[in-house]
Amino acid sequence: MARLVPVTDAADPRLTDYVRLRDVNLRKSLEAEHGLFVAEGEKVIRRAIGAGHPVRSLLMARRWAEPLADVLDGLDAPVYLADDDVLEATTGFQVHRGALASLERLPLPSVDTLLTTARRVIVCEDIVDHTNIGAIFRCAAALGVDAAVLAPRCADPLYRRAVKVSMGAVFALPYARMADWRNGLGALRERGFELLALTPAADATPIDEVKAAERRALLLGSEGDGLSSRWLHEADHRVRIPMDGAALARGVDSLNVVAAAAIACYALTR
Ligand SMILES: C[S@@+](CC[C@H](N)C(=O)[O-])C[C@H]1O[C@@H](n2cnc3c(N)ncnc32)[C@H](O)[C@@H]1O
């Protein structure tokens, strides 16, 4: 049974894993230093533990101890119980979902290992927004993608907001991070993957005309500039989801990357 430990002071050093959860820079360095990440909400915590991430601790309002009793029973980690005002003062926001867990990251596989058995993969270049990376993982996992490969600068799928938006899909979809952006697509090519670069460019091939190979990789670009010209040139095909003519005339020239990922994953995993 986990140890239930009441805490009353937001400055308690035992709560360090949970401080200022919205401060991206602080969180990046703190989580890298300790190899941890934070999961929020009952379902997501269950999925993170189910995926084998060792638990460092939990922090929650007292009312969450009961719904999570079966999880807590098997844990050998402290469970800090706090009032809402202490939770808010520690984390920097109102924790509506009431329960937080600090968990250990697991070592990621190499890109090569990941690609051994995968057939359909997404490759995210420099996705900046954690909400987007979480939602992309959720779409990909739901639509039959086998794995994700991330460029070195792509946002962290285990950042709290990404984990939350993915509803735990970041634990279901295996992923690896390229060590090197410049030659990163080479590993996919060596494994026989056809590289399909998703771009709204008017001269790209409409997605419903693409006859994709057995092993295919969908390349997704960043929210601002899209895919780098290097990756666009390296791809076997540039593929577009045709935009509505009237929308184009009104200046709506691309989809949000999550919407594009959902449509492309659906079309190219059939
Ligand atoms: C917001 S868009 C970037 C827009 C950028 N101006 C460009 O030209 O790529 C982010 C990513 O979503 C994907 N995307 C957005 N709209 C698309 C479309 N109509 N067809 C294919 N991919 C699209 C691409 O991978 C793109 O790199």
Side-chain angles (χ1 to χ4, degrees), residues 197-201 219-227 239-243 253-258 260-261:
L198 284 161
T199 167
L219 314 186
L220 291 162
S222 75
E223 295 88 341
D225 295 336
L227 285 165
V239 177
R240 75 183 156 94
I241 300 158
M243 304 285 298
D253 60 359
S254 68
L255 293 158
N256 165 278
V257 65
V258 177

Side-chain angles (χ1 to χ4, degrees), residues 22-269:
R22 286 192 170 154
D23 183 334
V24 179
N25 289 332
L26 171 92
R27 295 305 308 179
K28 274 187 184 164
S29 61
L30 188 145
E31 293 184 14
E33 186 186 341
H34 298 288
L36 67 85
F37 70 96
V38 170
E40 184 178 353
E42 182 194 345
K43 266 191 197 151
V44 174
I45 291 172
R46 285 180 187 279
R47 288 175 185 168
I49 295 173
H53 289 278
V55 179
R56 288 165 62 91
S57 66
L58 286 96
L59 170 63
M60 63 182 72
R62 285 180 177 75
R63 61 184 176 279
W64 281 98
E66 180 59 34
L68 278 164
D70 59 312
V71 174
L72 304 188
D73 266 354
L75 284 185
D76 181 25
V79 178
Y80 301 116
L81 301 177
D83 290 336
D84 288 336
D85 58 334
V86 175
L87 280 174
E88 185 172 348
T90 306
T91 61
F93 68 98
Q94 279 189 333
V95 186
H96 293 299
R97 290 177 191 240
L100 298 162
S102 170
L103 301 118
E104 286 176 24
R105 291 171 184 253
L106 301 172
L108 291 181
S110 69
V111 172
D112 217 40
T113 304
L114 187 81
L115 296 179
T116 312
T117 52
R119 291 280 174 278
R120 298 169 298 199
V121 306
I122 53 165
V123 186
C124 299
E125 201 177 20
D126 293 345
I127 306 294
V128 175
D129 187 294
H130 291 105
T131 305
N132 284 343
I133 198 72
I136 290 171
F137 266 63
R138 190 170 180 179
C139 294
L143 293 169
V145 167
D146 300 317
V149 178
L150 311 181
R153 291 196 312 197
C154 181
D156 175 14
L158 290 189
Y159 189 78
R160 176 189 60 90
R161 187 94 190 113
V163 174
K164 182 176 171 183
V165 169
S166 83
M167 278 309 293
V170 291
F171 311 123
L173 186 71
Y175 68 95
R177 200 177 273 281
M178 295 172 175
D180 167 28
W181 165 79
R182 187 164 288 277
N183 302 306
L185 296 179
L188 287 136
R189 211 176 261 302
E190 279 164 25
R191 289 271 179 191
F193 279 86
E194 184 175 51
L195 306 180
L196 305 171
L198 284 161
T199 167
D203 61 347
T205 307
I207 196 161
D208 46 8
E209 292 176 19
V210 173
K211 301 232 178 320
E214 164 70 6
R215 301 194 108 180
R216 62 199 75 161
L218 310 181
L219 314 186
L220 291 162
S222 75
E223 295 88 341
D225 295 336
L227 285 165
S228 63
S229 54
R230 184 180 181 95
W231 280 27
L232 283 168
H233 281 114
E234 271 192 66
D236 297 297
H237 302 288
R238 293 183 310 126
V239 177
R240 75 183 156 94
I241 300 158
M243 304 285 298
D244 178 70
L248 283 172
R250 289 195 298 270
V252 181
D253 60 359
S254 68
L255 293 158
N256 165 278
V257 65
V258 177
I263 293 169
C265 288
Y266 180 78
L268 296 171
T269 52

